Coordinates of all heavy atoms in Angstrom, one line a residue:
M144 N 21.6 1.5 -4.1 CA 21.5 2.3 -2.9 C 22.4 1.5 -1.8 O 22.3 0.3 -1.7 CB 20.1 2.3 -2.4 CG 19.8 3.3 -1.3 SD 18.1 3.4 -0.7 CE 17.6 4.9 -1.5
T145 N 23.2 2.2 -1.1 CA 24.1 1.6 -0.1 C 23.2 1.3 1.1 O 22.1 1.8 1.2 CB 25.2 2.5 0.4 OG1 24.6 3.7 1.0 CG2 26.1 3.0 -0.8
I146 N 23.7 0.4 2.0 CA 23.0 0.1 3.2 C 22.8 1.3 4.0 O 21.7 1.5 4.6 CB 23.8 -1.0 4.0 CG1 23.7 -2.3 3.3 CG2 23.3 -1.1 5.4 CD1 24.5 -3.4 3.9
A147 N 23.8 2.2 4.1 CA 23.6 3.5 4.9 C 22.5 4.3 4.3 O 21.7 4.8 5.1 CB 24.9 4.3 4.9
A148 N 22.4 4.4 3.0 CA 21.4 5.2 2.4 C 20.0 4.6 2.6 O 19.0 5.2 2.9 CB 21.6 5.4 0.9
F149 N 20.0 3.2 2.5 CA 18.8 2.5 2.7 C 18.3 2.7 4.2 O 17.1 3.0 4.4 CB 19.0 1.0 2.5 CG 17.9 0.1 2.9 CD1 16.8 -0.1 2.0 CD2 17.9 -0.6 4.1 CE1 15.7 -0.9 2.4 CE2 16.8 -1.4 4.4 CZ 15.8 -1.6 3.6
L150 N 19.2 2.5 5.1 CA 18.8 2.7 6.5 C 18.4 4.1 6.8 O 17.5 4.3 7.6 CB 20.0 2.3 7.4 CG 20.2 0.8 7.6 CD1 21.4 0.5 8.5 CD2 19.0 0.1 8.2
T151 N 19.1 5.1 6.2 CA 18.7 6.5 6.4 C 17.3 6.7 6.0 O 16.5 7.3 6.8 CB 19.7 7.4 5.7 OG1 21.0 7.2 6.1 CG2 19.3 8.9 5.9
A152 N 16.9 6.2 4.8 CA 15.6 6.4 4.3 C 14.6 5.7 5.2 O 13.5 6.2 5.5 CB 15.5 5.9 2.9
R153 N 14.9 4.5 5.6 CA 14.0 3.7 6.4 C 13.9 4.2 7.8 O 12.8 4.2 8.5 CB 14.4 2.2 6.5 CG 14.5 1.5 5.1 CD 13.1 1.2 4.6 NE 12.5 0.1 5.3 CZ 11.5 0.1 6.2 NH1 10.9 1.2 6.4 NH2 11.1 -1.0 6.8
L154 N 15.0 4.8 8.4 CA 14.9 5.3 9.7 C 14.0 6.5 9.7 O 13.2 6.7 10.6 CB 16.3 5.7 10.2 CG 16.4 6.3 11.6 CD1 15.9 5.4 12.6 CD2 17.8 6.8 11.9
A155 N 14.1 7.3 8.7 CA 13.2 8.5 8.6 C 11.8 8.0 8.6 O 10.9 8.6 9.3 CB 13.5 9.3 7.3
E156 N 11.5 6.9 7.9 CA 10.2 6.3 7.9 C 9.8 5.9 9.3 O 8.7 6.2 9.8 CB 10.1 5.1 7.0 CG 9.3 5.2 5.8 CD 9.5 4.0 4.9 OE1 9.1 2.9 5.3 OE2 10.2 4.1 3.9
A157 N 10.7 5.2 10.0 CA 10.4 4.7 11.3 C 10.1 5.8 12.3 O 9.3 5.7 13.2 CB 11.6 3.9 11.8
L158 N 10.8 6.9 12.1 CA 10.7 8.1 13.0 C 9.5 9.0 12.6 O 9.1 9.9 13.3 CB 11.9 8.9 13.0 CG 13.2 8.3 13.5 CD1 14.4 9.2 13.2 CD2 13.1 8.1 15.0
A159 N 8.9 8.7 11.4 CA 7.9 9.5 10.8 C 8.4 10.9 10.7 O 7.7 11.9 11.0 CB 6.6 9.4 11.7
Q160 N 9.6 11.1 10.2 CA 10.3 12.4 10.1 C 10.9 12.5 8.7 O 11.4 11.5 8.2 CB 11.4 12.4 11.1 CG 11.1 12.6 12.5 CD 11.0 14.0 12.9 OE1 11.6 14.9 12.3 NE2 10.1 14.3 13.8
D161 N 10.8 13.7 8.2 CA 11.7 14.0 7.0 C 13.1 14.2 7.6 O 13.2 15.1 8.5 CB 11.1 15.3 6.3 CG 12.0 15.7 5.1 OD1 13.1 15.1 5.0 OD2 11.5 16.5 4.4
V162 N 14.1 13.5 7.1 CA 15.4 13.6 7.7 C 15.9 15.0 7.6 O 16.8 15.5 8.3 CB 16.4 12.6 7.1 CG1 16.1 11.2 7.6 CG2 16.5 12.7 5.6
H163 N 15.4 15.8 6.6 CA 15.9 17.1 6.4 C 15.4 18.1 7.4 O 15.9 19.2 7.5 CB 15.5 17.6 4.9 CG 16.1 16.7 3.9 ND1 15.4 15.7 3.3 CD2 17.4 16.5 3.4 CE1 16.1 15.0 2.5 NE2 17.4 15.5 2.5
T164 N 14.5 17.7 8.2 CA 14.0 18.5 9.3 C 14.8 18.3 10.6 O 14.7 19.0 11.6 CB 12.5 18.3 9.7 OG1 12.4 16.9 10.2 CG2 11.6 18.5 8.4
L165 N 15.7 17.2 10.6 CA 16.5 17.0 11.7 C 17.6 18.0 11.8 O 18.1 18.5 10.8 CB 17.2 15.6 11.6 CG 16.2 14.4 11.7 CD1 16.9 13.1 11.3 CD2 15.5 14.3 13.0
P166 N 18.1 18.4 13.0 CA 19.1 19.4 13.1 C 20.5 18.9 12.6 O 20.9 17.8 12.8 CB 19.2 19.6 14.6 CG 18.6 18.4 15.3 CD 17.6 17.9 14.3
E167 N 21.1 19.8 11.8 CA 22.4 19.5 11.3 C 23.4 19.4 12.4 O 23.4 20.1 13.4 CB 22.9 20.5 10.3 CG 22.5 20.2 8.9 CD 23.1 21.1 7.9 OE1 24.4 21.3 7.9 OE2 22.4 21.7 7.1
A168 N 24.3 18.4 12.3 CA 25.4 18.2 13.3 C 26.5 19.2 13.1 O 27.3 18.9 12.2 CB 25.8 16.8 13.4
T169 N 26.6 20.2 13.9 CA 27.7 21.2 13.7 C 28.9 20.6 14.5 O 30.0 21.1 14.2 CB 27.3 22.5 14.3 OG1 26.8 22.4 15.6 CG2 26.2 23.2 13.4
H170 N 28.7 19.7 15.4 CA 29.8 18.9 15.9 C 29.4 17.5 16.0 O 28.2 17.2 15.8 CB 30.2 19.5 17.3 CG 29.1 19.3 18.4 ND1 28.9 18.1 19.0 CD2 28.2 20.1 18.8 CE1 27.9 18.2 19.8 NE2 27.4 19.4 19.7
T171 N 30.3 16.5 16.2 CA 29.8 15.1 16.2 C 30.2 14.5 17.6 O 30.5 13.3 17.6 CB 30.5 14.4 15.1 OG1 31.9 14.5 15.1 CG2 30.0 14.9 13.7
D172 N 30.2 15.3 18.6 CA 30.5 14.8 20.0 C 29.2 14.4 20.7 O 28.4 15.2 21.2 CB 31.2 15.9 20.7 CG 31.7 15.4 22.1 OD1 31.2 14.4 22.6 OD2 32.6 16.1 22.7
I173 N 29.0 13.1 20.7 CA 27.7 12.5 21.2 C 27.6 12.8 22.7 O 26.5 13.2 23.2 CB 27.5 11.0 20.9 CG1 27.2 10.9 19.4 CG2 26.4 10.4 21.7 CD1 27.1 9.4 18.9
D174 N 28.7 12.7 23.5 CA 28.7 13.0 24.9 C 28.2 14.4 25.1 O 27.4 14.7 26.0 CB 30.0 12.8 25.5 CG 30.3 11.3 25.7 OD1 29.4 10.5 25.7 OD2 31.5 10.9 25.9
R175 N 28.8 15.3 24.4 CA 28.5 16.8 24.5 C 27.0 17.0 24.2 O 26.3 17.7 24.9 CB 29.4 17.6 23.6 CG 29.1 19.1 23.6 CD 30.1 19.8 22.8 NE 29.5 21.0 22.2 CZ 30.1 21.7 21.2 NH1 31.2 21.2 20.6 NH2 29.5 22.7 20.7
R176 N 26.5 16.3 23.2 CA 25.1 16.5 22.7 C 24.2 16.0 23.8 O 23.1 16.6 24.1 CB 24.9 15.7 21.4 CG 23.5 15.8 20.9 CD 23.3 17.0 20.0 NE 22.0 17.1 19.5 CZ 21.5 18.1 18.8 NH1 22.3 19.2 18.6 NH2 20.3 18.2 18.4
T177 N 24.5 14.9 24.4 CA 23.5 14.3 25.4 C 23.8 14.9 26.8 O 22.8 14.9 27.6 CB 23.6 12.8 25.4 OG1 25.0 12.4 25.7 CG2 23.2 12.2 24.1
R178 N 25.0 15.3 27.2 CA 25.3 15.7 28.5 C 25.2 17.2 28.7 O 24.7 17.6 29.7 CB 26.7 15.2 28.9 CG 27.0 15.2 30.4 CD 28.5 14.8 30.5 NE 29.3 15.7 29.7 CZ 30.5 15.3 29.1 NH1 30.9 14.1 29.3 NH2 31.1 16.2 28.4
D179 N 25.7 17.9 27.8 CA 25.8 19.4 28.0 C 24.7 20.2 27.3 O 24.6 21.4 27.5 CB 27.2 19.9 27.5 CG 28.3 19.1 28.1 OD1 28.1 18.6 29.2 OD2 29.4 19.1 27.5
E180 N 24.0 19.6 26.4 CA 23.0 20.3 25.7 C 21.6 19.7 25.9 O 21.4 18.6 26.3 CB 23.3 20.2 24.2 CG 24.6 20.7 23.8 CD 25.0 20.5 22.3 OE1 24.1 20.2 21.5 OE2 26.1 20.7 22.0
L181 N 20.5 20.6 25.8 CA 19.2 20.2 26.0 C 18.5 20.1 24.7 O 18.4 21.0 23.9 CB 18.4 21.2 26.9 CG 18.9 21.3 28.4 CD1 18.0 22.3 29.1 CD2 18.8 19.9 29.1
H182 N 17.9 18.9 24.4 CA 17.2 18.7 23.2 C 15.9 17.9 23.4 O 15.8 17.2 24.4 CB 18.1 18.0 22.1 CG 19.3 18.8 21.8 ND1 19.3 19.8 21.0 CD2 20.6 18.6 22.3 CE1 20.5 20.3 20.9 NE2 21.3 19.6 21.7
D183 N 14.9 18.0 22.5 CA 13.7 17.3 22.6 C 13.8 16.0 21.8 O 14.4 16.0 20.7 CB 12.5 18.1 22.1 CG 12.3 19.4 23.0 OD1 12.7 19.3 24.2 OD2 11.7 20.3 22.5
C184 N 13.1 15.0 22.3 CA 13.0 13.7 21.5 C 12.3 14.0 20.2 O 11.2 14.6 20.2 CB 12.3 12.7 22.4 SG 11.9 11.2 21.5
V185 N 12.8 13.5 19.1 CA 12.2 13.8 17.8 C 10.9 13.0 17.6 O 10.1 13.4 16.8 CB 13.1 13.5 16.6 CG1 14.4 14.4 16.6 CG2 13.6 12.0 16.6
R186 N 10.7 12.0 18.4 CA 9.5 11.2 18.3 C 8.4 11.7 19.2 O 7.2 11.7 18.7 CB 9.7 9.7 18.6 CG 10.4 8.9 17.5 CD 10.6 7.5 18.0 NE 9.6 6.6 17.5 CZ 9.1 5.6 18.2 NH1 9.5 5.4 19.5 NH2 8.3 4.7 17.7
C187 N 8.7 12.0 20.4 CA 7.6 12.3 21.3 C 7.7 13.7 22.0 O 6.8 14.1 22.7 CB 7.4 11.2 22.4 SG 8.8 11.2 23.6
G188 N 8.8 14.4 21.8 CA 9.0 15.7 22.4 C 9.4 15.7 23.9 O 9.6 16.8 24.4
S189 N 9.6 14.6 24.5 CA 10.2 14.5 25.9 C 11.6 15.0 25.8 O 12.2 15.1 24.8 CB 10.1 13.1 26.4 OG 8.8 12.6 26.5
R190 N 12.2 15.2 27.0 CA 13.6 15.5 27.1 C 14.4 14.3 26.5 O 14.3 13.2 27.0 CB 13.9 15.7 28.6 CG 15.4 15.8 28.9 CD 16.0 17.1 28.6 NE 17.4 17.0 28.6 CZ 18.2 17.0 29.6 NH1 17.6 17.2 30.8 NH2 19.5 16.9 29.6
A191 N 15.3 14.6 25.5 CA 16.1 13.6 24.9 C 17.2 13.2 25.8 O 17.8 14.0 26.5 CB 16.6 14.1 23.6
Q192 N 17.6 11.9 25.9 CA 18.7 11.4 26.7 C 19.7 10.7 25.9 O 20.8 10.4 26.3 CB 18.1 10.4 27.8 CG 17.4 11.2 28.9 CD 16.5 10.3 29.7 OE1 15.8 9.5 29.1 NE2 16.6 10.4 31.0
V193 N 19.4 10.4 24.6 CA 20.2 9.6 23.7 C 20.3 10.4 22.4 O 19.4 11.1 22.0 CB 19.6 8.2 23.5 CG1 20.5 7.4 22.5 CG2 19.4 7.5 24.8
A194 N 21.5 10.3 21.8 CA 21.6 11.0 20.5 C 22.3 10.0 19.5 O 23.2 9.3 19.9 CB 22.4 12.3 20.6
F195 N 21.8 10.0 18.3 CA 22.4 9.2 17.2 C 22.8 10.2 16.1 O 22.1 11.2 15.9 CB 21.4 8.2 16.6 CG 21.0 7.1 17.5 CD1 19.8 7.2 18.1 CD2 21.8 6.0 17.7 CE1 19.3 6.1 18.9 CE2 21.4 5.0 18.5 CZ 20.1 5.0 19.1
L196 N 23.9 9.9 15.4 CA 24.3 10.6 14.2 C 23.7 9.9 13.0 O 24.0 8.7 12.9 CB 25.8 10.8 14.1 CG 26.4 11.9 15.0 CD1 27.9 11.7 15.0 CD2 26.0 13.3 14.4
L197 N 23.0 10.6 12.2 CA 22.5 10.0 11.0 C 23.3 10.6 9.8 O 23.4 11.8 9.7 CB 21.0 10.3 10.9 CG 20.2 9.6 9.7 CD1 20.2 8.1 9.9 CD2 18.8 10.2 9.8
G198 N 23.8 9.7 8.9 CA 24.6 10.2 7.8 C 26.0 10.4 8.2 O 26.4 10.1 9.3
P199 N 26.8 11.1 7.4 CA 26.4 11.6 6.1 C 26.1 10.5 5.1 O 26.8 9.4 5.1 CB 27.6 12.4 5.6 CG 28.8 11.8 6.4 CD 28.2 11.3 7.6
S200 N 25.1 10.7 4.2 CA 24.7 9.8 3.2 C 24.2 10.6 2.0 O 23.0 10.8 1.8 CB 23.6 8.9 3.8 OG 23.2 8.0 2.8
P201 N 25.2 11.0 1.1 CA 24.8 11.8 0.0 C 23.7 11.1 -0.9 O 22.9 11.8 -1.4 CB 26.1 11.9 -0.8 CG 27.2 11.7 0.2 CD 26.6 10.7 1.2
E202 N 23.8 9.8 -1.0 CA 22.8 9.1 -1.8 C 21.4 9.3 -1.3 O 20.4 9.2 -2.0 CB 23.1 7.6 -1.7 CG 23.9 7.1 -2.9 CD 24.0 5.6 -2.8 OE1 24.9 5.1 -2.1 OE2 23.2 4.9 -3.4
A203 N 21.3 9.5 0.0 CA 19.9 9.7 0.6 C 19.6 11.2 0.8 O 18.7 11.6 1.5 CB 19.8 9.0 2.0
G204 N 20.4 12.0 0.1 CA 20.2 13.5 0.1 C 20.7 14.1 1.4 O 20.1 15.1 1.8
L205 N 21.6 13.4 2.1 CA 22.1 13.9 3.4 C 23.6 14.1 3.3 O 24.3 13.2 3.9 CB 21.7 12.8 4.4 CG 21.2 13.3 5.8 CD1 20.0 14.2 5.7 CD2 21.0 12.1 6.7
P206 N 24.1 15.1 2.7 CA 25.5 15.3 2.6 C 26.2 15.6 3.9 O 27.4 15.3 4.0 CB 25.7 16.5 1.6 CG 24.4 17.2 1.7 CD 23.3 16.2 2.1
A207 N 25.5 16.1 4.9 CA 26.1 16.4 6.2 C 25.4 15.6 7.2 O 24.2 15.3 7.1 CB 26.0 17.9 6.5
P208 N 26.0 15.2 8.3 CA 25.4 14.4 9.3 C 24.3 15.2 10.1 O 24.4 16.4 10.2 CB 26.5 14.0 10.3 CG 27.6 15.0 10.0 CD 27.5 15.4 8.6
R209 N 23.3 14.5 10.6 CA 22.2 15.1 11.3 C 22.0 14.4 12.7 O 22.3 13.2 12.8 CB 20.9 15.0 10.6 CG 20.9 15.5 9.2 CD 20.1 16.7 9.0 NE 20.3 17.3 7.7 CZ 19.7 18.4 7.3 NH1 18.9 19.1 8.1 NH2 19.9 18.9 6.1
W210 N 21.5 15.1 13.6 CA 21.3 14.5 14.9 C 19.9 13.9 15.0 O 18.9 14.4 14.5 CB 21.4 15.5 16.0 CG 22.7 16.0 16.4 CD1 23.3 17.2 16.1 CD2 23.8 15.2 16.9 NE1 24.6 17.3 16.5 CE2 24.9 16.0 17.0 CE3 23.9 13.9 17.4 CZ2 26.1 15.6 17.6 CZ3 25.1 13.4 17.9 CH2 26.2 14.3 18.0
V211 N 19.8 12.7 15.6 CA 18.5 12.1 16.0 C 18.5 12.1 17.5 O 19.2 11.3 18.1 CB 18.4 10.7 15.4 CG1 17.0 10.1 15.8 CG2 18.5 10.7 13.9
D212 N 17.8 13.0 18.1 CA 17.7 13.0 19.6 C 16.5 12.2 20.0 O 15.4 12.4 19.5 CB 17.5 14.5 20.1 CG 18.7 15.4 19.6 OD1 19.8 15.0 20.0 OD2 18.4 16.3 18.9
L213 N 16.7 11.3 21.0 CA 15.6 10.4 21.5 C 15.6 10.3 23.0 O 16.7 10.4 23.6 CB 15.8 9.0 20.9 CG 15.7 8.9 19.4 CD1 16.2 7.5 18.9 CD2 14.3 9.1 18.9
C214 N 14.4 10.2 23.6 CA 14.3 9.9 25.0 C 14.6 8.4 25.1 O 14.7 7.7 24.1 CB 12.9 10.2 25.5 SG 11.6 9.1 24.9
S215 N 14.8 7.9 26.3 CA 15.2 6.5 26.5 C 14.2 5.5 26.0 O 14.5 4.5 25.4 CB 15.6 6.2 28.0 OG 14.5 6.5 28.8
Q216 N 12.9 5.9 26.2 CA 11.8 5.0 25.7 C 11.8 4.9 24.2 O 11.8 3.8 23.6 CB 10.5 5.5 26.2 CG 9.4 4.5 26.3 CD 8.2 5.1 26.9 OE1 8.2 6.1 27.5 NE2 7.1 4.4 26.7
C217 N 12.0 6.0 23.5 CA 12.0 6.0 22.0 C 13.2 5.4 21.5 O 13.2 4.7 20.5 CB 11.7 7.4 21.5 SG 10.1 8.0 21.8
S218 N 14.4 5.6 22.2 CA 15.6 5.0 21.7 C 15.5 3.5 21.7 O 16.0 2.8 20.9 CB 16.8 5.5 22.5 OG 17.1 4.8 23.6
T219 N 14.8 2.9 22.8 CA 14.6 1.5 22.8 C 13.8 1.0 21.6 O 14.2 0.0 21.0 CB 13.9 1.1 24.1 OG1 14.7 1.6 25.2 CG2 13.7 -0.4 24.3
A220 N 12.8 1.7 21.3 CA 11.9 1.4 20.2 C 12.7 1.4 18.9 O 12.6 0.5 18.0 CB 10.7 2.3 20.1
V221 N 13.6 2.4 18.7 CA 14.3 2.6 17.5 C 15.4 1.5 17.4 O 15.7 1.0 16.3 CB 14.9 4.0 17.4 CG1 15.9 4.1 16.2 CG2 13.8 5.0 17.2
R222 N 16.0 1.2 18.5 CA 17.0 0.1 18.5 C 16.4 -1.2 18.1 O 17.0 -2.0 17.4 CB 17.6 -0.1 20.0 CG 18.9 0.7 20.2 CD 19.3 0.4 21.6 NE 19.7 1.6 22.3 CZ 20.9 2.2 22.2 NH1 21.8 1.6 21.6 NH2 21.1 3.3 22.9
E223 N 15.2 -1.5 18.6 CA 14.5 -2.7 18.3 C 14.2 -2.8 16.8 O 14.4 -3.8 16.1 CB 13.2 -2.9 19.1 CG 13.5 -3.4 20.5 CD 12.2 -3.3 21.4 OE1 11.1 -3.1 20.9 OE2 12.4 -3.5 22.6
W224 N 13.8 -1.6 16.3 CA 13.5 -1.5 14.9 C 14.8 -1.8 14.1 O 14.8 -2.5 13.1 CB 12.9 -0.1 14.6 CG 12.9 0.2 13.1 CD1 11.9 -0.2 12.2 CD2 13.9 0.8 12.3 NE1 12.2 0.2 11.0 CE2 13.4 0.8 11.0 CE3 15.1 1.4 12.6 CZ2 14.2 1.3 10.0 CZ3 15.8 1.9 11.6 CH2 15.4 1.9 10.3
A225 N 15.9 -1.1 14.5 CA 17.2 -1.3 13.7 C 17.6 -2.7 13.7 O 18.1 -3.3 12.7 CB 18.2 -0.4 14.3
H226 N 17.4 -3.4 14.9 CA 17.8 -4.8 15.0 C 17.0 -5.7 14.0 O 17.5 -6.5 13.3 CB 17.5 -5.3 16.4 CG 17.9 -6.7 16.7 ND1 19.3 -7.0 16.8 CD2 17.2 -7.8 16.8 CE1 19.3 -8.4 17.0 NE2 18.1 -8.8 17.0
Q227 N 15.7 -5.4 13.9 CA 14.8 -6.1 12.9 C 15.2 -5.8 11.5 O 15.3 -6.7 10.6 CB 13.3 -5.7 13.1 CG 12.7 -6.3 14.4 CD 11.4 -5.7 14.7 OE1 10.9 -4.9 14.0 NE2 10.8 -6.1 15.8
E228 N 15.5 -4.5 11.2 CA 15.9 -4.1 9.9 C 17.2 -4.9 9.5 O 17.4 -5.3 8.3 CB 16.2 -2.6 9.8 CG 15.0 -1.8 9.7 CD 14.1 -2.2 8.5 OE1 14.6 -2.2 7.4 OE2 12.9 -2.4 8.7
R229 N 18.2 -5.0 10.4 CA 19.4 -5.6 10.1 C 19.2 -7.1 9.8 O 19.7 -7.6 8.8 CB 20.4 -5.5 11.3 CG 21.8 -5.6 10.9 CD 22.8 -5.3 12.1 NE 22.5 -4.0 12.7 CZ 22.5 -3.9 14.0 NH1 22.7 -4.9 14.8 NH2 22.2 -2.7 14.5
G230 N 18.3 -7.7 10.5 CA 17.9 -9.1 10.3 C 17.4 -9.2 8.9 O 17.7 -10.2 8.2
R231 N 16.5 -8.3 8.5 CA 15.9 -8.3 7.2 C 16.9 -8.2 6.1 O 16.9 -8.9 5.1 CB 14.9 -7.2 7.1 CG 13.7 -7.6 6.3 CD 12.6 -6.5 6.4 NE 12.0 -6.5 7.8 CZ 11.2 -5.5 8.3 NH1 11.0 -4.5 7.5 NH2 10.7 -5.6 9.5
Q232 N 17.9 -7.3 6.3 CA 18.9 -7.0 5.3 C 19.8 -8.3 5.1 O 20.3 -8.6 4.1 CB 19.8 -5.9 5.8 CG 19.2 -4.6 5.7 CD 19.8 -3.8 4.6 OE1 21.0 -3.7 4.5 NE2 19.0 -3.2 3.7
E233 N 20.0 -9.0 6.2 CA 20.9 -10.2 6.1 C 20.3 -11.4 5.6 O 20.8 -12.5 5.5 CB 21.5 -10.4 7.6 CG 22.6 -9.4 7.9 CD 23.0 -9.5 9.4 OE1 22.5 -10.3 10.1 OE2 23.8 -8.6 9.8
G234 N 19.0 -11.2 5.2 CA 18.4 -12.3 4.4 C 17.2 -13.0 5.2 O 17.4 -14.1 5.6
D235 N 16.1 -12.3 5.3 CA 14.8 -12.8 5.7 C 14.9 -13.9 6.7 O 14.0 -14.8 6.6 CB 14.1 -13.3 4.4 CG 13.8 -12.1 3.5 OD1 13.8 -10.9 4.0 OD2 13.5 -12.3 2.4
Q236 N 15.8 -13.9 7.7 CA 15.8 -14.8 8.7 C 14.9 -14.3 9.9 O 14.8 -13.1 10.1 CB 17.2 -15.1 9.3 CG 18.0 -15.9 8.3 CD 19.5 -15.6 8.5 OE1 19.9 -15.0 9.4 NE2 20.3 -16.1 7.6
P237 N 14.2 -15.2 10.5 CA 13.3 -14.8 11.6 C 14.0 -14.2 12.8 O 15.2 -14.5 13.0 CB 12.5 -16.0 12.0 CG 13.3 -17.2 11.5 CD 14.2 -16.6 10.3
Ligands
ZN219 ZN1 10.6 10.0 22.9

């Protein structure tokens, strides 16, 4: 499993979401997604202010990229989680 596939699977876990329920990215313009469009945070349902692109990662069953829309509070939580995951990947350092 590649790191991207690993992270995709683990991110879905962290979000308590099936990645296949995330909206498919019909465009990949993050500014447009966050500035011009209205979306709900996938974790708590508040107005999303941040967007991440997840995938594409065919290994994780995600042939096309998907949006992860997050409010600022949840994006902080997910960033912290990603930071910890990266540390774990680079070899069990505290
Ligand atoms: Zn949220």
Side-chain angles (χ1 to χ4, degrees):
M144 193 181 258
T145 63
I146 287 176
F149 173 80
L150 283 178
T151 300
R153 298 285 287 113
L154 180 61
E156 245 172 72
L158 296 169
Q160 286 271 331
D161 179 348
V162 289
H163 301 100
T164 65
L165 295 169
E167 266 188 56
T169 51
H170 66 81
T171 54
D172 185 340
I173 288 177
D174 283 342
R175 179 174 149 198
R176 181 82 180 174
T177 53
R178 196 188 51 213
D179 302 337
E180 302 175 10
L181 293 179
H182 301 283
D183 295 335
C184 173
V185 296
R186 278 178 100 218
C187 72
S189 301
R190 169 78 196 281
Q192 287 163 313
V193 179
F195 294 101
L196 277 167
L197 188 62
S200 177
E202 265 185 274
L205 218 62
R209 306 248 174 182
W210 286 114
V211 180
D212 301 301
L213 295 166
C214 69
S215 56
Q216 207 175 339
C217 291
S218 87
T219 302
V221 169
R222 265 181 230 273
E223 278 169 15
W224 169 85
H226 184 72
Q227 285 168 6
E228 281 303 306
R229 203 174 309 138
R231 212 170 294 165
Q232 286 252 312
E233 284 167 4
D235 298 340
Q236 287 155 8

